[in-house]
Amino acid sequence: MSFFAALTAAAQAHFGEKPRLVVGIVVDQMRWDYLSRYYDSFGPDGFRRLIDQGFSCNNCNINYVPTVTAIGHASVYTGTTPAYHGICGNNFYIDGKKTYCCADSTVQPVGSNSPKGQMSPHNMVATTIGDQLRLHTDFHSKVIGVSYKDRAAILPAGHSANAAYWLDLKNRCFITSTYYMESLPEWAKAFNKKLVEDKEFKKLGQDIGLSPHCGTITTDMAIAALQGEQLGKGDHTDMLCVSYSQTDVIGHKYGTRGQNTDDAYLQLDRDLARLLKALDDQVGRDNYLLFLTADHGAAHNWKFMQEHRLAAGPWNSGEMKERVYEALENDMGDGRDCIADIMDYRIFLNWDKIHQQGLITADMPHMVLNEVTKELDVCFAAVYSDLATSALPPLLRDRALMGYYPGRSGDIIFFPKPSYYEFGSWSSPTGTTHGEWNPYDAHIPCLFYGWKVRHGETSRTVSITDIAPTVCQMLHIQQPDACTGEPITEITE
């Protein structure tokens, strides 16, 4: 065989090789430094197996704002940012109406009668890894999403997924919607029957998200889906998307420090070990490609920071809104209801009210901006339409642009001082929240493990949007249709 013929044969063999299964894991609200904080407490078969035998990107960052759950999950799997995939918050506005990211009144719940089942990925305008995998195999590959949260199951799995399952707390079961199917498969019905009798679940009731046991149930369901759908057993590569949400619920309530958070991560470590063993047993230790990351991190509790003489503090969007109203009334004699909402450090103007009151619409965003910049705890602010030419520092400007989807993202964005955050519905006095550009919210774990992944690490800067193109290149399939990330060459070469 000639040299060139040998090269051709090697390339053909490489392109023909595929893992039997791809597994994506997102840990909600997991800061990157938790890997080292808990390393000595982790057992050998969970996180440490991924760290010690896999590849770690130690400087993986989120390259947009706001850093919230729905956006993070969509960005991991589409390989792009809200500017392209359209999921610009857990909630956002469409045609002036506040909209939940996955709400879909055209579908019905399956598995219960709860309106929580009226969900689908229809608001996401880009494809995912799973969509591209399904396209590549003429829809023979199976793609399944599993999570406590609906958005964390639905958005990763994508538009063409075979199923996404999320937890209905009221009825104590996993459900889906008619977007995917008309009735639950038998294995899911059997799982739910056992779940109803789960003693820990019964005891915790609606507070299951505040318990590490929520992660155990999510793992059980993921394993049930793995086995029930025989993932990794067919002729084509399948995909399982798993998201752990209890870490986020616990973080919002109890913060980044303390026994509750410690217990959550140590139990998650044990649950990961069980999931990895199930994957080993089902498809073989070297036959699946796995990645683990987070949708965002979290700030340390502001009181905790102040107790240690570190600059931090709370602010309240409702109070800021009242101050803006007061200033506008002094200047204009009106403007009381000109703000529809303040979410994720963005201001959504109420254009219907502004027009009804006959206010000067062209100047209104700048008039509000002028008041916002007077806030003591706000470092920078800009009108979205002015971003490209604004005086924001380049990093903030670029992340704001990448997080902006016209018609959905609002009118004004602002940036609090480091370690200052919204103190309200998403954070208790002892808890925390997220959403900002700072490393505590934007620096996340990024671990690859398994099929064709060598052991190692890099401190080169990579982005949350680089995960999808890395997986797609390893599978030799096309990247998602709005992908802006780049393959992580330390893993693909």
Side-chain angles (χ1 to χ4, degrees):
M1 183 182 293
S2 70
F3 174 72
F4 291 107
L7 281 179
T8 301
Q12 288 173 343
H14 183 62
F15 269 76
E17 292 180 279
K18 309 279 185 183
R20 303 195 67 82
L21 180 66
V22 177
V23 182
I25 299 174
V26 177
V27 182
D28 203 324
Q29 204 187 114
M30 184 174 184
R31 294 164 54 107
W32 173 76
D33 60 351
Y34 285 171
L35 292 176
S36 59
R37 176 173 175 79
Y38 293 112
Y39 182 84
D40 291 337
S41 299
F42 288 147
D45 301 318
F47 279 106
R48 283 179 62 166
R49 177 173 166 185
L50 304 184
I51 297 168
D52 295 346
Q53 299 176 36
F55 193 94
S56 178
C57 299
N58 294 328
N59 194 22
C60 182
N61 290 274
I62 295 174
N63 53 349
Y64 54 78
V65 286
T67 48
V68 297
T69 296
I71 303 178
H73 283 80
S75 297
V76 167
Y77 285 88
T78 62
T80 194
T81 69
Y84 300 95
H85 62 59
I87 300 298
C88 50
N90 296 334
N91 296 279
F92 41 85
Y93 279 73
I94 298 179
D95 297 328
K97 182 181 179 181
K98 191 170 184 178
T99 304
Y100 178 64
C101 59
C102 293
D104 188 350
S105 61
T106 69
V107 302
Q108 297 302 314
V110 173
S112 80
N113 59 0
S114 170
K116 296 291 186 182
Q118 290 188 282
M119 303 288 171
S120 84
H122 76 116
N123 285 323
M124 184 167 64
V125 300
T127 62
T128 62
I129 303 168
D131 291 328
Q132 297 303 134
L133 182 60
R134 297 263 291 157
L135 278 165
H136 189 80
T137 63
D138 291 329
F139 302 93
H140 292 295
S141 293
K142 291 183 179 181
V143 177
I144 307 288
V146 175
S147 183
Y148 164 85
K149 293 180 180 179
D150 51 65
R151 58 187 179 270
I154 292 168
L155 298 174
H159 298 276
S160 66
N162 300 84
Y165 301 101
W166 55 95
L167 199 55
D168 176 354
L169 288 176
K170 182 178 179 181
N171 294 291
R172 298 208 310 275
C173 62
F174 276 91
I175 62 173
T176 188
S177 79
T178 52
Y179 179 87
Y180 304 99
M181 63 190 71
E182 294 301 320
S183 63
L184 291 176
E186 292 303 317
W187 65 263
K189 292 178 182 177
F191 181 86
N192 279 337
K193 188 176 180 179
K194 292 181 181 178
L195 188 57
V196 169
E197 301 303 320
D198 186 293
K199 293 180 180 179
E200 187 70 14
F201 198 176
K202 279 185 177 181
K203 181 175 71 175
L204 292 166
Q206 297 291 310
D207 291 330
I208 184 66
L210 285 170
S211 168
H213 189 62
C214 179
T216 301
I217 290 173
T218 302
T219 303
D220 292 342
M221 181 61 175
I223 293 172
L226 174 74
Q227 296 171 346
E229 296 291 342
Q230 289 292 285
L231 299 180
K233 291 286 193 177
D235 295 330
H236 302 278
T237 303
D238 296 322
M239 186 167 192
L240 177 62
C241 311
V242 185
S243 180
Y244 290 100
S245 306
Q246 73 282 357
T247 44
D248 182 69
V249 181
I250 290 169
H252 280 297
K253 177 72 173 179
Y254 298 108
T256 60
R257 292 289 187 269
Q259 192 65 48
N260 296 90
T261 300
D262 294 349
D263 289 347
Y265 279 93
L266 296 184
Q267 181 57 50
L268 176 57
D269 183 55
R270 292 188 285 270
D271 288 325
L272 278 178
R274 287 197 304 117
L275 178 59
L276 291 172
K277 183 178 186 306
L279 292 167
D280 292 345
D281 294 343
Q282 175 100 354
V283 298
R285 191 181 183 98
D286 299 319
N287 292 327
Y288 59 91
L289 170 64
L290 181 148
F291 66 84
L292 182 147
T293 189
D295 54 347
H296 55 75
H300 293 307
N301 177 268
W302 67 270
K303 289 184 177 179
F304 166 82
M305 294 284 279
Q306 288 186 354
E307 287 170 1
H308 294 276
R309 296 178 295 177
L310 296 166
W315 67 270
N316 183 280
S317 60
E319 293 175 0
M320 184 174 79
K321 184 189 294 186
E322 287 302 315
R323 286 191 288 271
V324 171
Y325 285 162
E326 182 178 348
L328 291 176
E329 287 175 345
N330 290 336
D331 292 343
M332 304 169 56
D334 212 335
R336 158 107 334 233
D337 297 318
C338 69
I339 296 176
D341 220 330
I342 300 178
M343 291 190 299
D344 304 326
Y345 311 102
R346 299 170 298 180
I347 296 175
F348 296 75
L349 295 181
N350 187 337
W351 288 103
D352 287 341
K353 288 285 185 181
I354 291 170
H355 287 301
Q356 288 171 13
Q357 294 173 9
L359 302 177
I360 306 171
T361 58
D363 288 344
M364 182 56 72
H366 297 93
M367 295 176 74
V368 174
L369 174 69
N370 183 56
E371 299 307 322
V372 171
T373 56
K374 295 177 183 177
E375 293 285 311
L376 293 177
D377 299 329
V378 172
C379 288
F380 303 98
V383 175
Y384 268 118
S385 59
D386 298 339
L387 270 178
T389 57
S390 73
L392 288 178
L395 184 146
L396 302 188
R397 183 191 64 225
D398 291 347
R399 292 193 184 185
L401 282 168
M402 289 301 99
Y404 176 71
Y405 190 87
R408 296 186 178 185
S409 294
D411 301 277
I412 298 165
I413 186 167
F414 57 95
F415 299 87
K417 293 177 183 177
S419 295
Y420 280 71
Y421 59 81
E422 168 84 38
F423 183 65
S425 60
W426 287 109
S427 60
S428 73
T430 57
T432 185
T433 193
H434 49 84
E436 303 180 56
W437 68 272
N438 310 75
Y440 48 78
D441 282 350
H443 188 191
I444 55 174
C446 180
L447 302 171
F448 282 82
Y449 172 84
W451 185 82
K452 301 293 184 183
V453 176
R454 65 179 179 86
H455 174 54
E457 62 182 344
T458 181
S459 293
R460 180 174 67 86
T461 299
V462 301
S463 297
I464 189 172
T465 53
D466 295 335
I467 294 170
T470 300
V471 173
C472 289
Q473 182 155 320
M474 294 185 75
L475 297 179
H476 296 288
I477 64 175
Q478 189 57 269
Q479 297 172 354
D481 60 9
C483 184
T484 55
E486 298 287 341
I488 302 169
T489 55
E490 292 90 336
I491 296 168
T492 59
E493 294 179 354

